Amino acid sequence: MSGSFDTTQLRHVAEQIAAGNVGAFDQAAPGVSKVLGPAALAGGFGEVMLYCAIGVWVLAARSFFTFGRRKDVDGAS
């Protein structure tokens, strides 16, 4: 294999890694560090989790400002 991927190979390797087969990248690109596949997967997962956490906080803040705090909860019944 030359030093680059074509579109079909790249898509296949990406599907394999997304399915949890981190060894697929090592097989597709010999000579690349064995740590690269798991590190890329873990880094991507960490970024997605950070994005989700920020999204939850933004939605919670918008909900708080939109609906406000109820002062008379006991008297509503």
Side-chain angles (χ1 to χ4, degrees):
M1 174 181 280
S2 65
S4 64
F5 290 111
D6 67 357
T7 307
T8 306
Q9 289 173 325
L10 187 59
R11 183 176 303 273
H12 178 69
V13 170
E15 288 173 357
Q16 292 294 318
I17 290 174
N21 182 10
V22 292
F25 187 76
D26 297 332
Q27 294 169 357
V32 176
S33 173
K34 301 280 186 201
V35 181
L36 187 60
L41 188 61
F45 186 74
E47 290 174 7
V48 167
M49 292 300 292
L50 177 63
Y51 177 76
C52 291
I54 291 170
V56 166
W57 279 103
V58 167
L59 288 175
R62 289 185 69 179
S63 175
F64 179 76
F65 289 121
T66 300
F67 299 113
R69 195 184 290 195
R70 296 189 84 176
K71 295 180 182 181
D72 190 18
V73 176
D74 294 330
S77 311

